[in-house]
Amino acid sequence: MRERARSAEDKAQRAEDLLRAAESVAIALGGVRFVTIAAVTERAGLHRTGVRRYYANKEELLLALAERGWAQWRDAVTATVGGRTGLGPEQVAAALADTLSPLSVFCDLLSHVAMHLEGDVDIERARAYKSNAFAAADGIVAELDRASSMSADRLQNLLAAAISLAAALWQASHPTPTLAALYEQVPDWGHAALDFEPRLRLLVRATAVGLCHP
């Protein structure tokens, strides 16, 4: 087991190590629904009780991971459209979908955040998450507003659609072991296990074009 972190820098690094461990466990096991504190601390090389110094419970840990995902998405969009101007709706849609789809754990978390994570932490932690998530979303809209021909209002609606689509499509395209076995038995039902990335790209593009040509 690793020694207890003492300095502020060491504590910040330990908190980040736990987030990386949680992300790694989610990827390895097929989704955040399978993440446990025991698996995270084992992967991070910490005693199980050590996580309490950084996150009060699993829900707070996963909410922090979602918060980190918002920042990663904002940074990816900024890097993708930086220096570009005059982007049309299809190009904006591609910038959103192509930067969101690689963030697999974040897409998975979007459903869990709405369903229970925000409600299972104390109000100050929920406030911090909302503040940081909205700040990241506003940053994405501001960057696309600068780089594209779409209005800020349309961009906000497109961002909301992209988030909702990513959350739903990720869950459909990553069935539980039970559902995966069921789809093998009844292939006609397997259409529910969609190809995540191409379907997300298609539907975000259709939404962007629709918003600009109602």
Side-chain angles (χ1 to χ4, degrees):
M1 292 293 176
R2 296 162 65 180
E3 294 183 1
R4 183 173 179 176
R6 301 292 181 182
S7 68
E9 293 80 6
D10 287 344
K11 291 178 180 178
Q13 183 60 55
R14 190 64 51 82
E16 174 62 20
D17 290 345
L18 286 166
L19 292 181
R20 290 180 180 175
E23 182 176 48
S24 179
V25 169
I27 292 171
L29 298 183
V32 299
R33 64 171 66 89
F34 302 114
V35 172
T36 65
I37 290 295
V40 171
T41 52
E42 180 180 359
R43 189 164 295 236
L46 297 175
H47 190 275
R48 185 172 180 176
T49 58
V51 72
R52 307 297 180 187
R53 290 192 288 271
Y54 307 95
Y55 304 102
N57 48 39
K58 183 180 77 171
E59 289 74 23
E60 189 172 298
L61 171 64
L62 293 177
L63 195 64
L65 191 58
E67 193 173 74
R68 178 171 170 262
W70 274 107
Q72 290 173 327
W73 190 25
R74 178 202 59 213
D75 294 346
V77 171
T78 299
T80 296
V81 304
R84 302 168 68 186
T85 58
L87 301 181
E90 293 190 6
Q91 292 168 305
V92 170
L96 286 175
D98 291 351
T99 52
L100 181 55
S101 58
L103 300 174
S104 178
V105 173
F106 177 54
C107 292
D108 182 8
L109 279 164
L110 288 171
S111 294
H112 294 274
V113 166
M115 289 190 296
H116 66 91
L117 292 179
E118 292 177 311
D120 288 346
V121 297
D122 65 47
I123 191 169
E124 291 309 316
R125 186 64 190 90
R127 189 194 313 277
Y129 171 78
K130 286 290 193 185
S131 296
N132 290 322
F134 275 112
D138 289 344
I140 292 172
V141 169
E143 185 63 26
L144 293 174
D145 187 31
R146 178 203 61 76
S148 79
S149 59
M150 294 182 69
S151 67
D153 182 60
R154 286 171 174 167
L155 288 167
Q156 288 171 346
N157 286 325
L158 180 61
L159 192 68
I163 294 165
S164 299
L165 287 166
L169 292 175
W170 195 95
Q171 299 302 330
S173 61
H174 294 79
T176 63
T178 298
L179 284 178
L182 181 60
Y183 295 153
E184 288 184 4
Q185 295 173 15
V186 189
D188 287 348
W189 295 346
H191 71 279
L194 305 171
D195 291 330
F196 174 63
E197 184 174 350
R199 190 62 61 93
L200 177 65
R201 205 173 197 275
L202 172 66
L203 294 178
V204 174
R205 183 173 71 244
T207 304
V209 172
L211 285 169
C212 293
H213 302 90

mmCIF file of all heavy atoms in Angstrom, residues 78-107:
data_model
loop_
_atom_site.group_PDB
_atom_site.id
_atom_site.type_symbol
_atom_site.label_atom_id
_atom_site.label_comp_id
_atom_site.label_asym_id
_atom_site.label_seq_id
_atom_site.Cartn_x
_atom_site.Cartn_y
_atom_site.Cartn_z
ATOM 1 N N THR A 78 -12.207 22.907 -27.762
ATOM 2 C CA THR A 78 -11.363 24.087 -27.958
ATOM 3 C C THR A 78 -10.174 23.765 -28.857
ATOM 4 O O THR A 78 -9.836 24.537 -29.763
ATOM 5 C CB THR A 78 -10.869 24.623 -26.607
ATOM 6 O OG1 THR A 78 -12.005 24.996 -25.807
ATOM 7 C CG2 THR A 78 -9.978 25.838 -26.785
ATOM 8 N N ALA A 79 -9.547 22.622 -28.622
ATOM 9 C CA ALA A 79 -8.403 22.228 -29.450
ATOM 10 C C ALA A 79 -8.833 21.925 -30.873
ATOM 11 O O ALA A 79 -8.097 22.219 -31.831
ATOM 12 C CB ALA A 79 -7.718 21.007 -28.837
ATOM 13 N N THR A 80 -10.027 21.368 -31.053
ATOM 14 C CA THR A 80 -10.499 20.986 -32.383
ATOM 15 C C THR A 80 -10.848 22.186 -33.243
ATOM 16 O O THR A 80 -10.558 22.209 -34.445
ATOM 17 C CB THR A 80 -11.725 20.064 -32.262
ATOM 18 O OG1 THR A 80 -11.321 18.851 -31.604
ATOM 19 C CG2 THR A 80 -12.308 19.708 -33.621
ATOM 20 N N VAL A 81 -11.489 23.195 -32.651
ATOM 21 C CA VAL A 81 -11.954 24.348 -33.450
ATOM 22 C C VAL A 81 -11.076 25.567 -33.287
ATOM 23 O O VAL A 81 -11.341 26.604 -33.902
ATOM 24 C CB VAL A 81 -13.422 24.705 -33.098
ATOM 25 C CG1 VAL A 81 -14.327 23.515 -33.296
ATOM 26 C CG2 VAL A 81 -13.542 25.256 -31.686
ATOM 27 N N GLY A 82 -10.040 25.477 -32.485
ATOM 28 C CA GLY A 82 -9.178 26.625 -32.256
ATOM 29 C C GLY A 82 -8.606 27.194 -33.554
ATOM 30 O O GLY A 82 -8.066 26.466 -34.370
ATOM 31 N N GLY A 83 -8.788 28.493 -33.738
ATOM 32 C CA GLY A 83 -8.262 29.158 -34.928
ATOM 33 C C GLY A 83 -9.147 29.052 -36.150
ATOM 34 O O GLY A 83 -8.877 29.705 -37.165
ATOM 35 N N ARG A 84 -10.187 28.249 -36.100
ATOM 36 C CA ARG A 84 -11.086 28.094 -37.249
ATOM 37 C C ARG A 84 -12.259 29.067 -37.125
ATOM 38 O O ARG A 84 -12.669 29.431 -36.032
ATOM 39 C CB ARG A 84 -11.604 26.657 -37.336
ATOM 40 C CG ARG A 84 -10.504 25.620 -37.460
ATOM 41 C CD ARG A 84 -11.026 24.215 -37.240
ATOM 42 N NE ARG A 84 -11.926 23.779 -38.301
ATOM 43 C CZ ARG A 84 -12.606 22.634 -38.270
ATOM 44 N NH1 ARG A 84 -12.516 21.843 -37.205
ATOM 45 N NH2 ARG A 84 -13.390 22.291 -39.272
ATOM 46 N N THR A 85 -12.792 29.478 -38.255
ATOM 47 C CA THR A 85 -13.949 30.362 -38.272
ATOM 48 C C THR A 85 -14.893 29.937 -39.388
ATOM 49 O O THR A 85 -14.518 29.173 -40.279
ATOM 50 C CB THR A 85 -13.537 31.832 -38.504
ATOM 51 O OG1 THR A 85 -12.817 31.930 -39.744
ATOM 52 C CG2 THR A 85 -12.665 32.356 -37.366
ATOM 53 N N GLY A 86 -16.125 30.433 -39.320
ATOM 54 C CA GLY A 86 -17.093 30.174 -40.376
ATOM 55 C C GLY A 86 -17.583 28.748 -40.464
ATOM 56 O O GLY A 86 -18.062 28.322 -41.521
ATOM 57 N N LEU A 87 -17.496 27.993 -39.378
ATOM 58 C CA LEU A 87 -17.949 26.607 -39.411
ATOM 59 C C LEU A 87 -19.465 26.547 -39.571
ATOM 60 O O LEU A 87 -20.204 27.283 -38.909
ATOM 61 C CB LEU A 87 -17.553 25.883 -38.127
ATOM 62 C CG LEU A 87 -16.063 25.808 -37.774
ATOM 63 C CD1 LEU A 87 -15.870 25.021 -36.487
ATOM 64 C CD2 LEU A 87 -15.272 25.204 -38.907
ATOM 65 N N GLY A 88 -19.927 25.673 -40.448
ATOM 66 C CA GLY A 88 -21.360 25.461 -40.623
ATOM 67 C C GLY A 88 -21.888 24.460 -39.624
ATOM 68 O O GLY A 88 -21.126 23.847 -38.860
ATOM 69 N N PRO A 89 -23.199 24.224 -39.621
ATOM 70 C CA PRO A 89 -23.793 23.306 -38.636
ATOM 71 C C PRO A 89 -23.237 21.890 -38.693
ATOM 72 O O PRO A 89 -23.058 21.250 -37.652
ATOM 73 C CB PRO A 89 -25.289 23.353 -38.965
ATOM 74 C CG PRO A 89 -25.389 23.950 -40.327
ATOM 75 C CD PRO A 89 -24.222 24.857 -40.469
ATOM 76 N N GLU A 90 -22.965 21.378 -39.892
ATOM 77 C CA GLU A 90 -22.426 20.020 -39.983
ATOM 78 C C GLU A 90 -21.027 19.935 -39.391
ATOM 79 O O GLU A 90 -20.672 18.940 -38.754
ATOM 80 C CB GLU A 90 -22.435 19.554 -41.437
ATOM 81 C CG GLU A 90 -23.833 19.364 -42.013
ATOM 82 C CD GLU A 90 -23.810 18.681 -43.363
ATOM 83 O OE1 GLU A 90 -22.737 18.246 -43.799
ATOM 84 O OE2 GLU A 90 -24.891 18.568 -43.977
ATOM 85 N N GLN A 91 -20.229 20.979 -39.595
ATOM 86 C CA GLN A 91 -18.875 20.988 -39.026
ATOM 87 C C GLN A 91 -18.923 21.136 -37.510
ATOM 88 O O GLN A 91 -18.126 20.529 -36.790
ATOM 89 C CB GLN A 91 -18.067 22.127 -39.649
ATOM 90 C CG GLN A 91 -17.758 21.928 -41.127
ATOM 91 C CD GLN A 91 -17.213 23.188 -41.765
ATOM 92 O OE1 GLN A 91 -17.828 24.253 -41.714
ATOM 93 N NE2 GLN A 91 -16.021 23.072 -42.360
ATOM 94 N N VAL A 92 -19.854 21.946 -37.018
ATOM 95 C CA VAL A 92 -20.018 22.083 -35.568
ATOM 96 C C VAL A 92 -20.444 20.753 -34.960
ATOM 97 O O VAL A 92 -19.924 20.322 -33.919
ATOM 98 C CB VAL A 92 -21.060 23.177 -35.248
ATOM 99 C CG1 VAL A 92 -21.420 23.152 -33.763
ATOM 100 C CG2 VAL A 92 -20.524 24.553 -35.639
ATOM 101 N N ALA A 93 -21.383 20.084 -35.601
ATOM 102 C CA ALA A 93 -21.847 18.782 -35.117
ATOM 103 C C ALA A 93 -20.704 17.783 -35.062
ATOM 104 O O ALA A 93 -20.573 17.015 -34.093
ATOM 105 C CB ALA A 93 -22.965 18.265 -36.014
ATOM 106 N N ALA A 94 -19.874 17.783 -36.088
ATOM 107 C CA ALA A 94 -18.731 16.867 -36.104
ATOM 108 C C ALA A 94 -17.770 17.181 -34.969
ATOM 109 O O ALA A 94 -17.239 16.262 -34.317
ATOM 110 C CB ALA A 94 -18.014 16.956 -37.454
ATOM 111 N N ALA A 95 -17.547 18.470 -34.717
ATOM 112 C CA ALA A 95 -16.644 18.860 -33.632
ATOM 113 C C ALA A 95 -17.168 18.375 -32.288
ATOM 114 O O ALA A 95 -16.389 17.915 -31.432
ATOM 115 C CB ALA A 95 -16.467 20.377 -33.613
ATOM 116 N N LEU A 96 -18.479 18.449 -32.086
ATOM 117 C CA LEU A 96 -19.055 17.993 -30.826
ATOM 118 C C LEU A 96 -19.029 16.473 -30.711
ATOM 119 O O LEU A 96 -18.570 15.917 -29.709
ATOM 120 C CB LEU A 96 -20.495 18.502 -30.703
ATOM 121 C CG LEU A 96 -20.680 19.982 -30.381
ATOM 122 C CD1 LEU A 96 -22.157 20.351 -30.421
ATOM 123 C CD2 LEU A 96 -20.086 20.318 -29.023
ATOM 124 N N ALA A 97 -19.533 15.795 -31.732
ATOM 125 C CA ALA A 97 -19.639 14.338 -31.663
ATOM 126 C C ALA A 97 -18.268 13.669 -31.641
ATOM 127 O O ALA A 97 -18.051 12.699 -30.912
ATOM 128 C CB ALA A 97 -20.458 13.817 -32.838
ATOM 129 N N ASP A 98 -17.339 14.184 -32.436
ATOM 130 C CA ASP A 98 -16.023 13.546 -32.546
ATOM 131 C C ASP A 98 -15.170 13.755 -31.308
ATOM 132 O O ASP A 98 -14.217 13.004 -31.078
ATOM 133 C CB ASP A 98 -15.280 14.065 -33.778
ATOM 134 C CG ASP A 98 -15.915 13.596 -35.079
ATOM 135 O OD1 ASP A 98 -16.814 12.738 -35.024
ATOM 136 O OD2 ASP A 98 -15.519 14.100 -36.156
ATOM 137 N N THR A 99 -15.476 14.777 -30.511
ATOM 138 C CA THR A 99 -14.742 14.978 -29.256
ATOM 139 C C THR A 99 -15.449 14.324 -28.078
ATOM 140 O O THR A 99 -14.811 13.982 -27.073
ATOM 141 C CB THR A 99 -14.564 16.476 -28.951
ATOM 142 O OG1 THR A 99 -15.845 17.135 -29.009
ATOM 143 C CG2 THR A 99 -13.615 17.128 -29.950
ATOM 144 N N LEU A 100 -16.771 14.117 -28.201
ATOM 145 C CA LEU A 100 -17.527 13.505 -27.113
ATOM 146 C C LEU A 100 -17.435 11.986 -27.131
ATOM 147 O O LEU A 100 -17.269 11.354 -26.080
ATOM 148 C CB LEU A 100 -18.990 13.945 -27.206
ATOM 149 C CG LEU A 100 -19.965 13.445 -26.138
ATOM 150 C CD1 LEU A 100 -19.465 13.785 -24.738
ATOM 151 C CD2 LEU A 100 -21.349 14.032 -26.367
ATOM 152 N N SER A 101 -17.525 11.385 -28.301
ATOM 153 C CA SER A 101 -17.580 9.922 -28.374
ATOM 154 C C SER A 101 -16.346 9.217 -27.798
ATOM 155 O O SER A 101 -16.484 8.130 -27.220
ATOM 156 C CB SER A 101 -17.836 9.465 -29.816
ATOM 157 O OG SER A 101 -16.841 9.932 -30.695
ATOM 158 N N PRO A 102 -15.114 9.783 -27.905
ATOM 159 C CA PRO A 102 -13.982 9.078 -27.293
ATOM 160 C C PRO A 102 -14.016 9.082 -25.758
ATOM 161 O O PRO A 102 -13.322 8.288 -25.126
ATOM 162 C CB PRO A 102 -12.758 9.851 -27.806
ATOM 163 C CG PRO A 102 -13.234 10.578 -29.021
ATOM 164 C CD PRO A 102 -14.657 10.921 -28.722
ATOM 165 N N LEU A 103 -14.807 9.986 -25.172
ATOM 166 C CA LEU A 103 -14.888 10.073 -23.714
ATOM 167 C C LEU A 103 -15.928 9.081 -23.214
ATOM 168 O O LEU A 103 -16.978 9.432 -22.683
ATOM 169 C CB LEU A 103 -15.240 11.499 -23.299
ATOM 170 C CG LEU A 103 -14.243 12.583 -23.727
ATOM 171 C CD1 LEU A 103 -14.780 13.968 -23.385
ATOM 172 C CD2 LEU A 103 -12.884 12.353 -23.066
ATOM 173 N N SER A 104 -15.609 7.797 -23.368
ATOM 174 C CA SER A 104 -16.578 6.736 -23.131
ATOM 175 C C SER A 104 -17.129 6.750 -21.708
ATOM 176 O O SER A 104 -18.346 6.641 -21.499
ATOM 177 C CB SER A 104 -15.924 5.379 -23.418
ATOM 178 O OG SER A 104 -16.813 4.326 -23.151
ATOM 179 N N VAL A 105 -16.273 6.877 -20.723
ATOM 180 C CA VAL A 105 -16.738 6.852 -19.331
ATOM 181 C C VAL A 105 -17.594 8.075 -19.029
ATOM 182 O O VAL A 105 -18.595 7.988 -18.316
ATOM 183 C CB VAL A 105 -15.542 6.736 -18.370
ATOM 184 C CG1 VAL A 105 -15.997 6.872 -16.914
ATOM 185 C CG2 VAL A 105 -14.813 5.414 -18.580
ATOM 186 N N PHE A 106 -17.233 9.218 -19.587
ATOM 187 C CA PHE A 106 -18.029 10.424 -19.405
ATOM 188 C C PHE A 106 -19.420 10.237 -20.000
ATOM 189 O O PHE A 106 -20.430 10.598 -19.376
ATOM 190 C CB PHE A 106 -17.315 11.611 -20.049
ATOM 191 C CG PHE A 106 -18.075 12.908 -19.986
ATOM 192 C CD1 PHE A 106 -18.539 13.421 -18.784
ATOM 193 C CD2 PHE A 106 -18.308 13.636 -21.150
ATOM 194 C CE1 PHE A 106 -19.232 14.629 -18.733
ATOM 195 C CE2 PHE A 106 -18.998 14.836 -21.111
ATOM 196 C CZ PHE A 106 -19.463 15.337 -19.899
ATOM 197 N N CYS A 107 -19.495 9.671 -21.198
ATOM 198 C CA CYS A 107 -20.797 9.420 -21.823
ATOM 199 C C CYS A 107 -21.637 8.486 -20.962
ATOM 200 O O CYS A 107 -22.849 8.677 -20.815
ATOM 201 C CB CYS A 107 -20.614 8.833 -23.217
ATOM 202 S SG CYS A 107 -19.894 9.977 -24.419
#
